[in-house]
Amino acid sequence: MRGMPRRGRPPLLNTARAGKYIKTRAAVAKEVAEAQQAHIVENKAAEEEEKKLGVDRRVTRRRVGRRKVVEKVVISLGTESQSKEEERKKKRRGEDVGEGLVNKNKKMVESGGVSADKVNGQEEEGTTAPFPENVQVGGSPMYKVERKLGKGGFGQVFVGRRVSGGNERATGAAAQEVALKFEHRNSKGCNYGPPHEWQVYNTLGGSHGVPKVHYKGRQGDYYVMVMDILGPSLWDVWNSSGQSMSSEMVACIAMESLSILEKMHLKGYVHGDVKPENFLLGQPMTTQEKKLFLVDLGLATKWRDGAGRHVQYDQRPDMFRGTVRYASVHAHLGRTASRRDDLESLAYTLIFLHRGRLPWQGFQGDNKSFLVCKKKMGSSPEMLSCCCPAPIGQFLEIVVNMKFDDVPDYPKLISLFEGLLGADPSIRPINTDGAQKIIGLVGQKRSRLTSEEDDQPQKRVRLGVPATQWISIYNARQPMKQRYHYNVADGRLAQHVERGVHDGLYISSVASCSNLWAVIMDAGTGFTSQVYELSAFFLHKEWIVEQWENNYYISSIAGATNGSSLVVMSKGTDYTQQSYKVSESFPYKWINKKWKEGFHVTSMATAGSRWGVVMSRNSGFSNQVVELDFLYPSEGIHKRWNTGFRITSTAATCDQTAIILSRPRRKIGDETQETLRTSQFPSAHVKEKWAKNLYLASVCYGRSVA
């Protein structure tokens, strides 16, 4: 039995769109500014109109102090009503508005418009209490708050001048001028009390390259830290030096930055936001003016637990931490932070300071992070460092291929840059004492080991050149009959399926390449009946809902680049409820929401750049994770395999590959699973796998790596 597009029915256009990959601060600020400007214009127009009509404005004047709150409510309600009106229009036109849901016990269909993801609330100037004129916290002297030094994602920094006492020449707690860092109690960094940054400074403050916090406490609505005042940032120096730095200057920065990060990592933390703005020099005209410091520890996280073990690997594609321009690709993809991420960000920082620009600068819009990460992963170390001294390229090549829990070889990395420095340390633009100590401590030992280490081949994590390939998954099974067909045109699909059904086979997996279909049929599905539909649309909601009503459930889907789809629905599954979503980007937030409701991903497909994901209740899985990558998540797959997960769904666009890995509720006898990437459909390899009782479980065509 098979289903085909029915004549006379209006085409169902799927207009559901996923939340954007990320909203940048610039995009949020622009939206807020536009909304405020629109409100001002509307207010003026209303005043003019009310003057003509003689309307009393006293109520409005009383609400001026709450204008921002009123604005936000109005904007929110306007968006919601507009969304509902659009949804009503789509329903009248018969269009798909995003999500279908059916319950086996109680037949029910839900449809809901999918709006852009909301941006986390961001603190705006004017919405918080004014800064105090004087500060005294934690037993500190009284400081007068003077000019602003800077503003970051986790607070604002001002100069604090001691009201009485102190010494202009003194440093530290006795200094006449200090840096005062304010963070409002309602900011996202203070949800559970004092800022997270305080805990990090308790551990790191005063260590090599980290400024010391002398006092801290709360005054009024603000948490305040009293710190050493420092000089210009590396961004300031770069900007005042013609937006370029010499090879010697960059080499000094590289060596001393690595010595600072080595000490920070030794104490169990990764910084999480390495960039030129967060490296500061000491105060000019002091003995520390050539000393380098690393500041802003608000995003620092632990890479090891209390027992000294490395933290567990994970990926949350909706969790981005850092600065888009300098973040590692692993940070973009939401992977757990580790030491390699700081080093990759440092590599981008060095290239920026020397070349004056990075290739991904200039991307704008809500999907900026997506575009930047794609560009980073598509740029080889040779290309990125083409105009830089050779050590920068060597450094980048090493750090982008580090594994999640690799221990960085800091002395080796520091020594890469030694050849770019002059012989006399006293005339170097930046003090490199910290780096020289690291090299000196292990110099003798390293000279004996270098030749042995260099001979050891190292497997790359950033595997190579992006490519479009077949990705096939094989599971160990008891011997059974399996059949595959590929490069199948629409008109030939029916005869292949009918022949398979006649031989007792059902469709277990489908895929598409170049608008042609691949179909896997076998005798081990457990299905009792099956229908399928070829549709010009991705996905045909009306037909799916009709089959749900007949107790069929989606068992596999595929999409073609021309937007058409192949949906297979079966009886004999254990599913009791299903929901699906079509979106313009990988819908991780929706998947995460459904996980909490007891659903698991059971099928995935792509059509062009769109994703289709099917989730089911009673899937037989106890837990599920996602591996999403712009190349191929080889390291992540192996990490998951080691913790009991097995691949259960795959899909890929021309940009990204998504792998769903699941833990079965019931332990299976043979957990053997293998993956294969091939430029052509793996027909020759499949037969080799069959000889080892490994059978095709899932297949897709899209982004991989050569």
Side-chain angles (χ1 to χ4, degrees):
M1 180 179 178
R2 61 189 175 91
M4 297 296 290
R6 302 195 179 185
R7 296 178 183 175
R9 290 186 178 178
L12 297 177
L13 303 178
N14 195 303
T15 57
R17 293 179 179 271
K20 303 300 182 183
Y21 199 77
I22 186 172
K23 271 200 173 183
T24 63
R25 293 176 184 173
V28 174
K30 184 178 179 183
E31 288 177 6
V32 172
E34 288 174 351
Q36 290 174 343
Q37 186 61 34
H39 182 78
I40 292 169
V41 171
E42 289 170 5
N43 244 14
K44 287 183 178 178
E47 286 178 8
E48 292 296 325
E49 186 65 26
E50 287 169 0
K51 281 180 182 177
K52 293 177 184 178
L53 299 173
V55 176
D56 188 355
R57 297 274 305 169
R58 283 176 295 178
V59 175
T60 304
R61 288 193 189 101
R62 284 199 298 269
R63 292 186 180 181
V64 166
R66 298 166 57 196
R67 178 170 294 173
K68 283 189 180 291
V69 176
V70 174
E71 285 173 1
K72 288 181 181 178
V73 172
V74 170
I75 292 167
S76 175
L77 291 174
T79 305
E80 183 180 352
S81 61
Q82 191 174 13
S83 175
K84 288 182 178 178
E85 181 59 29
E86 280 296 313
E87 187 176 324
R88 284 195 290 270
K89 287 179 181 177
K90 286 176 182 176
K91 286 182 179 177
R92 288 198 294 271
R93 293 197 301 265
E95 294 182 4
D96 185 7
V97 291
E99 179 180 331
L101 182 68
V102 66
N103 191 312
K104 205 176 227 180
N105 300 319
K106 182 180 178 183
K107 299 300 180 185
M108 174 178 63
V109 176
E110 294 180 359
S111 293
V114 182
S115 61
D117 294 335
K118 294 179 182 178
V119 182
N120 291 332
Q122 296 194 12
E123 187 177 331
E124 300 172 17
E125 287 192 55
T127 62
T128 57
F131 292 99
E133 292 183 2
N134 296 295
V135 164
Q136 188 174 27
V137 291
S140 75
M142 180 74 74
Y143 295 101
K144 180 177 175 58
V145 180
E146 297 189 341
R147 67 187 184 280
K148 183 191 285 190
L149 289 173
K151 177 183 177 183
F154 291 89
Q156 301 186 52
V157 183
F158 291 81
V159 171
R161 177 170 286 275
R162 195 161 172 164
V163 173
S164 62
N167 188 332
E168 286 189 8
R169 295 184 179 181
T171 58
Q176 199 167 51
E177 280 193 343
V178 294
L180 302 174
K181 184 164 186 178
F182 292 87
E183 191 164 350
H184 195 271
R185 61 183 177 84
N186 291 334
S187 74
K188 56 188 176 183
C190 302
N191 291 335
Y192 304 102
H196 164 70
E197 192 175 21
W198 283 20
Q199 301 173 28
V200 184
Y201 270 111
N202 285 343
T203 304
L204 301 178
S207 63
H208 174 60
V210 178
K212 186 173 179 59
V213 175
H214 302 292
Y215 307 99
K216 58 182 182 292
R218 179 172 166 181
Q219 181 166 320
D221 289 330
Y222 288 95
Y223 290 102
V224 186
M225 284 195 297
V226 180
M227 311 167 67
D228 290 330
I229 194 166
L230 299 174
S233 70
L234 291 184
W235 192 93
D236 296 325
V237 176
W238 168 84
N239 199 40
S240 62
S241 304
Q243 299 190 342
S244 181
M245 284 186 177
S246 68
S247 298
E248 185 181 22
M249 180 72 165
V250 172
C252 288
I253 291 167
M255 294 175 68
E256 198 61 13
S257 299
L258 283 165
S259 74
I260 295 170
L261 290 172
E262 192 261 356
K263 292 294 187 294
M264 184 175 290
H265 295 167
L266 194 62
K267 294 199 173 187
Y269 280 95
V270 292
H271 184 274
D273 197 19
V274 171
K275 58 182 179 180
E277 293 88 336
N278 283 341
F279 283 108
L280 274 61
L281 294 174
Q283 273 191 288
M285 308 302 292
T286 69
T287 56
Q288 293 192 327
E289 66 177 346
K290 287 186 177 183
K291 187 174 180 180
L292 194 63
F293 294 88
L294 182 57
V295 301
D296 201 352
L297 306 181
L299 289 178
T301 56
K302 289 186 175 181
W303 65 264
R304 66 184 179 199
D305 61 22
R309 297 182 298 256
H310 201 290
V311 295
Q312 290 292 310
Y313 170 89
D314 196 11
Q315 184 180 16
R316 292 284 305 273
D318 61 334
M319 294 291 290
F320 172 79
R321 295 168 67 89
T323 301
V324 171
R325 182 183 295 179
Y326 305 100
S328 72
V329 296
H330 307 292
H332 282 283
L333 293 168
R335 292 183 178 134
T336 307
S338 67
R339 291 167 288 186
R340 66 179 177 181
D341 299 298
D342 280 349
L343 301 183
E344 186 174 337
S345 292
L346 177 59
Y348 298 144
T349 295
L350 299 176
I351 294 169
F352 172 81
L353 292 174
H354 190 268
R355 291 182 57 177
R357 187 171 179 82
L358 291 165
W360 43 84
Q361 285 179 240
F363 288 119
Q364 298 296 331
D366 293 338
N367 64 338
K368 177 180 176 180
S369 183
F370 173 91
L371 296 172
V372 169
C373 186
K374 178 182 173 183
K375 183 70 173 177
K376 286 176 181 177
M377 295 202 78
S379 302
S380 67
E382 294 79 15
M383 187 275 285
L384 282 174
S385 59
C386 64
C387 298
C388 299
I392 292 180
Q394 295 164 6
F395 176 66
L396 179 62
E397 176 75 28
I398 292 170
V399 300
V400 299
N401 285 298
M402 287 181 65
K403 295 178 182 177
F404 171 68
D405 49 6
D406 274 353
V407 180
D409 190 339
Y410 302 99
K412 181 179 179 179
L413 295 175
I414 290 171
S415 64
L416 290 174
F417 299 93
E418 277 191 295
L420 299 176
L421 301 184
D424 186 358
S426 65
I427 60 172
R428 290 173 185 169
I430 288 180
N431 186 315
T432 58
D433 288 351
Q436 296 300 331
K437 286 178 183 177
I438 292 174
I439 296 174
L441 285 172
V442 295
Q444 294 288 333
K445 183 180 177 182
R446 291 220 52 80
S447 63
R448 294 193 300 270
L449 297 177
T450 300
S451 59
E452 296 176 16
E453 291 176 352
D454 290 344
D455 291 338
Q456 298 296 320
Q458 196 170 22
K459 186 175 180 180
R460 292 186 173 190
V461 174
R462 194 82 55 85
L463 289 166
V465 181
T468 306
Q469 295 180 317
W470 284 97
I471 300 170
S472 48
I473 314 300
Y474 304 84
N475 287 347
R477 301 283 297 273
Q478 291 296 318
M480 67 174 184
K481 182 185 287 187
Q482 187 173 69
R483 188 178 295 168
Y484 62 83
H485 306 278
Y486 62 96
N487 291 343
V488 179
D490 291 2
R492 300 270 295 174
L493 182 63
Q495 68 184 73
H496 290 306
V497 174
E498 288 170 2
R499 189 181 306 142
V501 171
H502 182 268
D503 294 339
L505 309 179
Y506 286 105
I507 299 171
S508 59
S509 180
V510 290
S512 177
C513 170
S514 303
N515 298 322
L516 298 173
W517 306 104
V519 181
I520 313 301
M521 302 186 73
D522 62 59
T525 61
F527 301 146
T528 58
S529 180
Q530 201 168 64
V531 295
Y532 72 92
E533 186 198 43
L534 278 171
S535 172
F537 308 106
F538 186 77
L539 299 162
H540 188 172
K541 178 181 176 182
E542 185 175 307
W543 181 83
I544 292 171
V545 171
E546 182 180 316
Q547 300 310 318
W548 274 340
E549 293 294 331
N550 295 326
N551 289 324
Y552 285 91
Y553 287 86
I554 300 170
S555 52
S556 56
I557 58 173
T561 51
N562 63 10
S564 61
S565 65
L566 171 58
V567 178
V568 181
M569 301 184 71
S570 307
K571 285 184 178 179
T573 70
D574 292 325
Y575 306 148
T576 55
Q577 203 172 12
Q578 267 191 343
S579 180
Y580 77 87
K581 185 176 182 66
V582 173
S583 61
E584 294 295 333
S585 60
F586 186 75
Y588 180 79
K589 288 189 176 180
W590 177 79
I591 291 171
N592 194 43
K593 178 173 78 82
K594 287 295 180 185
W595 280 340
K596 295 173 183 175
E597 296 172 10
F599 289 81
H600 292 98
V601 176
T602 49
S603 298
M604 286 197 306
T606 62
S609 62
R610 290 185 296 163
W611 295 82
V613 179
V614 180
M615 300 188 71
S616 310
R617 271 197 174 130
N618 201 33
S619 63
F621 304 136
S622 63
N623 196 9
Q624 205 166 61
V625 293
V626 170
E627 283 297 319
L628 183 68
D629 206 304
F630 283 86
L631 292 178
Y632 178 77
S634 179
E635 184 190 19
I637 290 171
H638 282 83
K639 290 284 185 187
R640 306 299 195 178
W641 277 346
N642 292 338
T643 54
F645 287 92
R646 292 296 177 267
I647 298 170
T648 52
S649 294
T650 59
T653 66
C654 60
D655 289 326
Q656 288 181 300
T657 294
I659 308 285
I660 300 292
L661 298 100
S662 311
R663 276 198 187 121
R665 288 192 182 279
R666 296 179 182 176
K667 186 173 178 63
I668 55 179
D670 190 342
E671 297 181 335
T672 303
Q673 185 172 73
E674 294 182 6
T675 64
L676 195 63
R677 300 188 305 277
T678 52
S679 56
Q680 303 295 325
F681 187 86
S683 52
H685 302 281
V686 171
K687 293 173 183 177
E688 294 173 4
K689 302 292 185 185
W690 285 347
K692 299 187 292 184
N693 287 333
L694 291 170
Y695 295 88
L696 266 171
S698 180
V699 63
C700 70
Y701 183 79
R703 185 72 159 198
S704 183
V705 62

